[in-house]
């Protein structure tokens, strides 16, 4: 039982081993739908007000319904109801997925993974308000703070209670009569013309991480049309304006934010303030929720031991406030689930609000291929379009989405992708008897049961392209309905660079994103989001340029940026994250290069779902594959070792935007880039070879560099791996997750460590390496054979270390700092002292990069707005000026570098013990 309103919701469910279950295809003859009970009017809903603004806007602190930074987007003011189809359901003999494991994937999970991680972000970027019928947060933790636990801040005027509202309920939920939003009360504030205070819901999260944030309130005609809600997170504050005349008594998704455990309420809280454009109106304040949590229902044989996000709509809609007539209209949970999806949309939809309902499914049986789409008709599938009898507008919505899907899948996934056609059928999910209020379409993206289609469905890029196409199709439908030009959001920039500007500040630079075959329109501006920890980002600064100087910095400050491209259609997904630390001298010592570009089906982690007769199932969890946010783990280690740094993506090197010359050391990581991913392109190899020829110091890491370059690479790749990285490939998988220093004192004091940090992706196949001439084993695996885990080399003036595993997966921040410190000590990197040109606090910044001054890592004339022609002669370490020699002006190698020749004999011995 929930004993206090601010608590973690958790319980110990029982395992179940029932029989396989097939609930059918979701078909519902028209006469069956007619038997469903009427859908009641939602609490607090009266005649529809004249909605003259979107329901929710992410805005600046002092604005009422002004557009978010970067513009509102093509779907501003529109509501999109999204169904991820099937999910775990109780069959009466246990919990089961509604579809089986075919080709390693399960439809129930494929759909929710794509929607939560791709479709919702695309729709939010276009400005839509999104309502899901399944939980959109995969997190297993959930924190609820109810209104009695909210603390008054400032001097707002509190009004009377305005419940009923959310209240604690006994968990697990064992009865259809349980109504979470009828079990408590709600507080209120009297709106004021100017902010005087509010209610603070302090969020003591159990662990650092990303959490979806939800709020609830009670709606009514006297509510504020622009209630001011604020999320305080590790990146700063995000402000929202919510029209509380609608969508009350349910969970309202604000977005996904990063929180740190132990943070105070200034950095970990949700706040509702009292300012409004309508003073005297009521600001309702009910409960706040963070995270998705575990399954919450017990249907007689114990709750399901799986995340709430994997459960079907039948249970989530009850948790979301719907009455039994919505989620329990029939005799079985599986039949309930089919209609609960559309019935919830009808219950939640506000009269007069522009909305559509879209259902994502995959198809069967084998050997079918391709995509088909459905609107409602009074026959079994596939029915002809002339049988259409759904809600007006559904056919136009179907045409718009279908066209985008086929065109984009052919352009970016498979030129031969099959268009199976547009049809009608009496699917219960799109039956107008359940939801007569909005156009609805059901999508069958591909055949999970056919190996050829399943191979595509496994791929994150397929799901991303399909999600973007669905969002673009919805935008095309509304643009046509409204008679406005169709503008689609751009792609995110790929070439990003954050670097010291020589004057005590940091400059972010990027290139305009390249056009994608199925992508949107070109950007007209950008939003630069800034973070101090690399995980939580601020709302950003808008600019029409491709460069921005960060203001107000001091020597030693660390900042991270990601870039969103913007046009009238909305905002792109974010770019990769890069970071930099302000150098006391104005010149960074180290360059971090993010070369981890891979994101494919080979990285899917597996879940053992044998308890549900599913066996091993491949899952798409981007944070366990590649979320393009691993640069901060390298940056934290370099900063912890006491050195400044700049950061870029490998596209910056390959495009010539960023040069390696001028940096005392380069930290280049390739993650799990493998065969087919070109971990080091010819352009990257050329840049690294030039850098090493000038006495460069290189730390390079990755789990499959040897496999891709030496075992299966071209002759040029093999030569580079053996002659420039001084290593050879021995085996594909060390079969252990631990390493330690090899004999000798090269990494003395490091000790044994793990490179399988459970909070990031798992390095499935760490390379086993041998040292080639000029190199020596520096680390060995704890495999009983002391197989090579890292090779260090010293040849001519160059020094380097190659790790056979990803640096970013090393477990423990302190261990990463110790290893990085040892490497940079070996390299003899010295952090120069002294004042840069200009003020170290960066207060002379004007919001754009200065076009004068010499920078390390610059490019040729015309490439960089920071004027980098003289950068190769920049003094990077207090040493003699190397003129045009660039990296030849290095600090002396560290004392450990002198030991490398002494270790070569041991390295040769290890090579003789190894077999290829």
């Amino acid at each position: 039982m929930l004993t206090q309103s601010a608590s973690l919701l958790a319980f110990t469910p029982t395992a179940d081993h029932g029989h396989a279950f097939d609930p059918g295809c979701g078909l519902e003859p028209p006469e069956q739908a007619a038997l469903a009970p009427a859908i009641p009017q939602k609490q607090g809903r009266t005649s529809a007000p004249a909605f003259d603004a979107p329901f929710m806007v992410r805005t600046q602190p002092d604005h009422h319904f002004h557009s978010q930074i970067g513009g509102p987007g093509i779907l501003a003011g529109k509501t999109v109801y999204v169904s991820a189809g099937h999910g775990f359901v109780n069959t009466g003999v246990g919990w089961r997925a509604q579809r089986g494991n075919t080709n390693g994937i399960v439809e129930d999970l494929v759909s929710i993974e794509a929607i939560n991680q791709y479709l919702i972000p695309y729709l939010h970027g276009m400005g839509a308000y999104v309502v899901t019928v399944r939980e959109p947060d995969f997190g297993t933790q959930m924190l609820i703070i109810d209104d009695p636990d909210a603390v008054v801040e400032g001097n707002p005027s509190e009004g009377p209670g305005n419940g009923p509202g959310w209240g604690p309920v006994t968990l697990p939920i064992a009865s259809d009569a349980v109504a979470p939003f009828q079990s408590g009360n709600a507080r209120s504030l009297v709106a004021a013309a100017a902010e005087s205070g509010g209610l603070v819901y302090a969020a003591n999260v159990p662990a650092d991480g990303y959490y979806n944030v939800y709020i609830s309130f009670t709606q009514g005609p006297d509510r504020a049309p622009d209630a001011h809600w604020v999320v305080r997170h590790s990146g700063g504050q995000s402000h929202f304006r919510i029209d509380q005349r609608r969508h009350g008594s349910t969970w309202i998704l604000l977005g996904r934010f990063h929180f740190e455990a132990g943070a105070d309420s200034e950095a970990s809280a949700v706040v509702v303030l009292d300012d409004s454009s309508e003073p005297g109106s009521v600001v309702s304040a009910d409960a706040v929720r963070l995270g998705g949590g575990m399954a919450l229902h017990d249907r007689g044989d114990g709750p399901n031991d799986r995340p709430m996000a994997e459960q079907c709509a039948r249970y989530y809609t009850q948790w979301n406030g719907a009455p039994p007539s919505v989620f329990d209209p029939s005799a079985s949970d599986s039949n309930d689930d089919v209609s609960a999806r559309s019935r919830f949309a009808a219950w939640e939809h506000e009269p007069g609000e522009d909305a559509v309902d879209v259902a994502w499914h995959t198809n069967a049986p084998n050997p079918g291929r391709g995509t088909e789409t459905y609107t409602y008709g009074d026959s079994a599938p596939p029915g002809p379009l002339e049988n259409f009898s759904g809600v007006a507008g559904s056919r136009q919505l179907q045409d718009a989405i279908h066209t985008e899907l086929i065109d984009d899948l052919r352009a970016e996934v498979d030129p031969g992708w099959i268009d199976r056609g547009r049809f009608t059928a009496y699917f219960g999910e799109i039956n107008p008897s359940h939801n007569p209020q909005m156009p609805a379409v059901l999508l069958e993206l591909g055949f999970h049961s056919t190996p050829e289609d399943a191979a595509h469905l496994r791929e994150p890029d397929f799901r991303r392209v399909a999600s973007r196409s669905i969002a673009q199709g919805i935008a095309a439908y509304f643009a046509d309905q409204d008679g406005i030009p169709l503008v689609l959001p751009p792609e995110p920039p790929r070439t990003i660079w954050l670097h010291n500007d020589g004057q005590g500040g940091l400059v972010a630079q990027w290139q305009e994103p390249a056009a994608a075959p199925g992508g949107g329109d070109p950007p007209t501006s950008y939003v630069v989001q800034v973070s101090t920890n690399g995980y939580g980002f601020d709302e950003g600064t808008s600019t029409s340029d491709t460069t921005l100087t960060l203001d107000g910095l001091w020597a030693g400050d660390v900042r991270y940026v990601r870039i969103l491209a913007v046009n009238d259609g909305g905002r792109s997904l974010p770019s990769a994250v890069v970071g930099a630390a302000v150098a006391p001298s104005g010149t960074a010592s180290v360059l971090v290069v993010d070369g981890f570009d891979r994101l494919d089906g080979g990285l899917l982690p597996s879940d053992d779902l044998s308890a549900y007769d599913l066996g091993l199932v491949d899952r798409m969890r981007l944070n366990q594959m590649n979320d393009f946010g691993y640069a901060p783990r390298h940056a934290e280690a370099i900063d912890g070792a006491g050195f400044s740094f700049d950061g870029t993506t490998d596209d910056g090197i390959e495009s010539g935007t960023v040069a390696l010359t001028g940096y005392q050391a380069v930290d280049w990581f390739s993650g799990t880039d493998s065969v087919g991913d070109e971990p080091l392109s010819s352009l990257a190899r050329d840049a690294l070879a030039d850098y090493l020829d000038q006495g460069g110091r290189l730390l390079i890491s990755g789990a499959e560099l040897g496999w891709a370059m030496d075992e299966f690479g071209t002759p040029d790749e093999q030569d580079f791996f053996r002659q420039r990285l001084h290593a050879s490939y021995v085996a594909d998988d060390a079969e252990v997750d631990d390493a330690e220093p090899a004999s000798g004192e090269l990494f003395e004091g490091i000790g044994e460590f793990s490179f399988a940090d459970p909070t990031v992706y798992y390095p499935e196949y760490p390379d086993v390496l041998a040292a080639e001439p000029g190199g020596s084993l520096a680390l060995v695996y704890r495999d009983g054979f002391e197989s090579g885990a890292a090779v260090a080399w010293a040849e001519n003036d160059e020094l380097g270390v190659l790790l056979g595993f990803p640096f970013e997966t090393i477990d423990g921040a302190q261990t990463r700092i110790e290893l990085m410190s040892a490497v940079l000590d070996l390299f003899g990197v010295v952090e120069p002292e002294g004042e840069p040109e200009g003020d170290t606090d960066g207060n002379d910044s004007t919001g754009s990069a200065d076009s004068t001054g010499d920078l390390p890592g610059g490019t040729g004339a015309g490439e960089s707005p920071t004027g980098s022609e003289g950068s190769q002669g920049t003094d990077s370490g207090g040493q003699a000026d190397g003129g045009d020699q660039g990296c030849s002006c290095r600090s002396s190698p560290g004392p450990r570098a002198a030991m490398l020749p002494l270790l070569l004999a041991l390295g040769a011995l290890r090579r003789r013990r190894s077999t290829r």
Side-chain angles (χ1 to χ4, degrees):
M1 181 175 181
L2 195 64
T3 56
Q4 53 183 344
S5 50
S7 55
L8 293 175
L9 300 185
F11 47 85
T12 304
T14 58
D16 173 74
H17 301 272
H19 304 289
F21 175 68
D22 180 5
C25 299
L27 295 174
E28 184 182 61
E31 61 272 16
Q32 181 176 332
L35 300 176
I39 297 173
Q41 180 167 288
K42 197 174 187 183
Q43 171 188 317
R45 180 177 293 156
T46 59
S47 58
F51 297 134
D52 55 359
F55 163 68
M56 178 172 69
V57 173
R58 195 164 178 167
T59 185
Q60 299 182 58
D62 56 349
H63 289 175
H64 302 289
F65 276 131
H66 285 203
S67 64
Q68 62 183 6
I69 297 172
I74 190 77
L75 293 179
K78 312 302 184 184
T79 301
V80 180
Y81 292 85
V82 178
S83 168
H86 314 285
F88 275 92
V89 69
N90 192 278
T91 67
V93 290
W95 292 94
R96 288 292 173 268
Q98 297 181 49
R99 295 293 182 267
N101 182 339
T102 54
N103 302 295
I105 58 175
V106 175
E107 178 186 356
D108 306 50
L109 306 177
V110 167
S111 55
I112 194 72
E113 290 163 357
I115 285 171
N116 289 2
Q117 296 173 97
Y118 282 130
L119 181 55
I120 293 174
Y122 273 122
L123 292 170
H124 279 171
M126 293 180 177
Y129 173 55
V130 181
V131 179
T132 65
V133 300
R134 288 174 62 185
E135 170 60 53
D137 189 335
F138 285 113
T140 57
Q141 301 282 0
M142 177 163 60
L143 175 68
I144 293 181
I145 311 104
D146 200 8
D147 57 276
D149 297 293
V151 176
V152 174
E153 182 176 83
N155 298 291
S157 297
E158 283 205 68
N162 55 19
W166 191 91
V169 297
T170 300
L171 296 178
I173 296 172
S175 167
D176 292 344
V178 172
F181 285 90
Q182 300 290 317
S183 300
N185 212 315
R187 293 166 71 175
S188 71
L189 303 174
V190 179
E195 176 194 325
S196 61
L199 297 174
V200 178
Y201 295 75
N204 184 20
V205 298
D208 293 5
Y210 295 93
Y211 297 81
N212 277 7
V213 173
Y214 308 82
I215 63 168
S216 64
F217 53 83
T218 64
Q219 71 184 76
D222 61 344
R223 305 296 192 260
D226 53 358
H228 189 176
W229 290 80
V230 184
V231 181
R232 298 174 180 171
H233 50 88
S234 72
Q237 296 188 3
S238 297
H239 293 253
F240 297 82
R241 292 289 179 170
I242 308 289
D243 185 349
Q244 293 194 333
R245 298 172 297 178
R246 41 186 165 153
H247 294 299
S249 301
T250 191
W251 294 119
I252 304 296
L253 173 62
L254 297 184
R256 189 163 182 81
F257 303 91
H258 185 268
F259 295 88
E260 294 179 343
D264 61 25
S265 61
E266 291 300 312
S268 186
V270 177
V271 183
V272 57
L273 298 171
D274 65 350
D275 59 305
S276 170
S277 60
E278 292 193 7
S281 61
V282 175
V283 177
S284 176
D286 195 3
V288 166
R289 172 162 71 93
L290 278 70
M294 298 295 288
L296 298 172
H297 287 74
D298 180 357
R299 302 297 289 163
D301 47 12
N304 187 11
D305 188 18
R306 299 300 304 169
M308 188 64 181
E310 296 178 4
Q311 312 310 300
C312 72
R314 196 257 186 231
Y315 311 114
Y316 183 66
T317 52
Q318 180 183 11
W319 177 238
N320 240 35
S325 57
V326 169
F327 65 80
D328 183 33
S330 63
S332 71
D333 284 11
S334 56
N335 287 338
D336 288 342
D337 178 48
V338 171
S339 54
R341 306 165 197 166
S342 53
R343 294 174 70 82
F344 179 80
W347 175 77
E348 177 61 17
H349 176 248
E350 296 290 341
E353 197 168 50
D354 280 346
V356 294
D357 189 4
V358 177
W360 175 307
H361 288 263
T362 57
N363 217 339
N366 183 26
R369 297 288 311 277
T371 295
E372 60 190 31
T373 60
Y374 286 88
T375 47
Y376 190 78
D378 59 1
S379 61
L385 293 179
E386 54 263 30
N387 282 7
F388 171 73
S389 56
V391 175
S394 298
R395 279 283 297 110
Q396 290 81 359
L397 177 65
Q398 178 185 26
D399 287 346
I401 295 177
H402 188 101
T403 299
E404 287 288 345
L405 277 170
I406 298 302
D407 288 352
D408 293 359
L409 290 174
R410 286 176 174 174
E412 294 197 55
V413 174
D414 180 355
W417 189 256
I418 296 172
D419 179 358
R420 292 178 59 87
R422 302 163 224 207
F423 305 103
T424 61
Y426 50 65
F427 286 110
E429 193 165 0
I430 53 176
N431 192 320
S433 294
H434 300 307
N435 180 9
Q437 302 185 29
M438 67 194 76
V441 60
L442 185 147
L443 314 172
E444 298 280 8
L445 274 298
F447 282 71
H448 56 258
S449 57
T450 302
E452 294 86 350
D453 271 18
H456 286 300
L457 289 168
R458 289 169 49 83
E459 291 297 323
D461 204 48
F462 178 95
R463 302 191 214 183
R464 180 189 64 81
V465 170
S467 296
R468 187 189 63 199
S469 300
I470 293 167
Q472 290 177 341
I474 294 170
Y477 164 78
F478 277 119
D480 182 67
Q481 296 295 303
D482 295 342
I484 62 173
L486 175 62
V487 180
L488 298 174
E491 297 297 295
R494 288 178 55 87
T495 301
I496 315 292
W497 184 24
L498 183 64
H499 59 88
N500 280 262
D501 65 359
Q503 301 178 20
L506 298 177
V507 175
Q509 286 181 238
W510 58 95
Q511 289 185 344
E512 180 175 327
D521 294 299
T524 54
S525 64
Y526 301 89
V527 172
V528 182
Q529 295 184 317
V530 180
S531 171
T532 58
N533 61 14
Y535 307 102
F537 285 82
D538 67 13
E539 290 298 285
T541 299
S542 183
T543 177
S544 58
D545 204 347
T546 55
T547 182
L548 184 77
T549 296
L550 309 189
D551 294 324
L553 301 180
W554 297 81
D557 282 351
V558 176
R559 294 292 184 270
Y560 303 89
V561 300
R562 64 185 188 188
I563 315 297
L564 302 105
V566 178
N567 61 24
D568 287 344
R571 314 200 303 182
S572 72
L573 300 183
S575 72
V577 176
V578 297
V582 178
S585 67
T587 301
S589 298
V590 182
L591 176 67
V592 178
V593 181
D594 180 352
F596 186 10
D597 301 315
R598 180 185 178 191
L599 182 58
D600 59 43
L603 299 180
L604 296 174
S606 293
D607 271 354
D608 185 354
L609 298 180
S610 300
Y612 308 96
D613 295 336
L614 295 173
L616 287 176
V617 178
D618 289 334
R619 306 299 307 275
M620 190 185 78
R621 300 189 185 103
L622 297 181
N623 66 319
Q624 296 178 15
M625 299 169 67
N626 185 3
D627 62 6
F628 301 96
Y630 299 113
R633 295 173 74 88
H634 291 251
E636 291 161 1
I638 296 169
D639 181 57
F643 297 97
S644 60
F645 59 91
D646 293 342
T648 188
T649 56
D650 58 350
D651 307 87
I653 307 300
E654 294 166 346
S655 67
T657 303
V658 184
L660 303 178
T661 51
Y663 292 102
Q664 295 183 59
V666 171
D667 171 13
W668 189 303
F669 65 96
S670 64
T672 59
D673 279 6
S674 187
V675 175
D677 305 307
E678 201 175 23
L680 291 177
S681 69
S682 60
L683 293 172
R685 296 196 303 274
D686 288 347
L688 286 169
D690 289 344
Y691 175 68
L692 292 171
D693 285 343
Q694 297 177 60
R697 284 90 164 98
L698 173 65
L699 168 64
I700 185 167
S701 61
E704 302 193 39
L705 275 168
W707 167 263
M709 298 185 69
D710 191 23
E711 181 72 354
F712 288 101
T714 65
D716 286 346
E717 289 174 319
Q718 291 172 334
D719 288 347
F720 184 90
F721 195 78
R722 295 191 176 201
Q723 297 174 20
R724 303 316 303 254
L725 304 186
H726 300 274
S728 57
Y729 165 86
V730 174
D732 183 38
D733 187 358
E735 298 184 354
V736 295
D737 303 328
D738 305 287
E740 64 183 356
S743 300
E745 300 178 352
L746 190 59
F747 287 132
E748 181 182 11
I750 297 295
E752 178 185 348
F753 62 89
S754 167
F755 53 86
D757 186 335
T759 65
V760 293
Y761 67 92
Y762 180 67
E764 189 88 34
Y765 301 107
D767 283 335
V768 179
L769 305 171
E772 291 293 304
S776 176
L777 290 187
L779 297 170
V780 295
Y781 294 111
R782 293 277 293 177
D783 59 358
F785 302 99
E786 294 189 321
S787 303
V791 170
W793 72 89
E795 186 171 78
N796 300 322
D797 291 330
E798 71 183 68
L799 294 168
V801 174
L802 164 66
L803 303 182
F805 53 87
F807 178 89
E808 61 270 16
T809 66
I810 294 173
D811 193 7
Q814 187 58 39
T815 301
R816 294 193 294 274
I817 291 172
E818 291 172 359
L819 186 61
M820 184 64 73
S821 297
V823 169
L824 297 180
D825 180 43
L826 168 71
F827 291 171
V829 177
V830 175
E831 184 65 32
E833 297 180 356
E835 294 293 326
E837 298 178 8
D839 297 332
T840 59
D841 63 4
N843 286 329
D844 58 341
S845 301
T846 60
S848 61
D850 194 344
S851 61
T852 62
D854 296 336
L855 299 178
T859 58
E863 290 291 331
S864 169
T866 51
S868 55
E869 288 185 59
S871 65
Q872 291 187 353
T874 301
D875 180 13
S876 62
Q879 308 300 312
D881 188 354
D884 291 333
Q885 298 304 307
C887 292
S888 64
C889 57
R890 295 293 172 191
S891 305
S892 301
R896 296 185 182 186
M899 296 186 293
L900 276 176
L902 302 178
L903 294 173
L904 291 178
L906 178 59
L909 175 62
R910 294 188 192 282
R911 289 196 301 276
R912 287 197 296 271
R913 290 173 55 188
S914 302
T915 57
R916 288 186 58 76

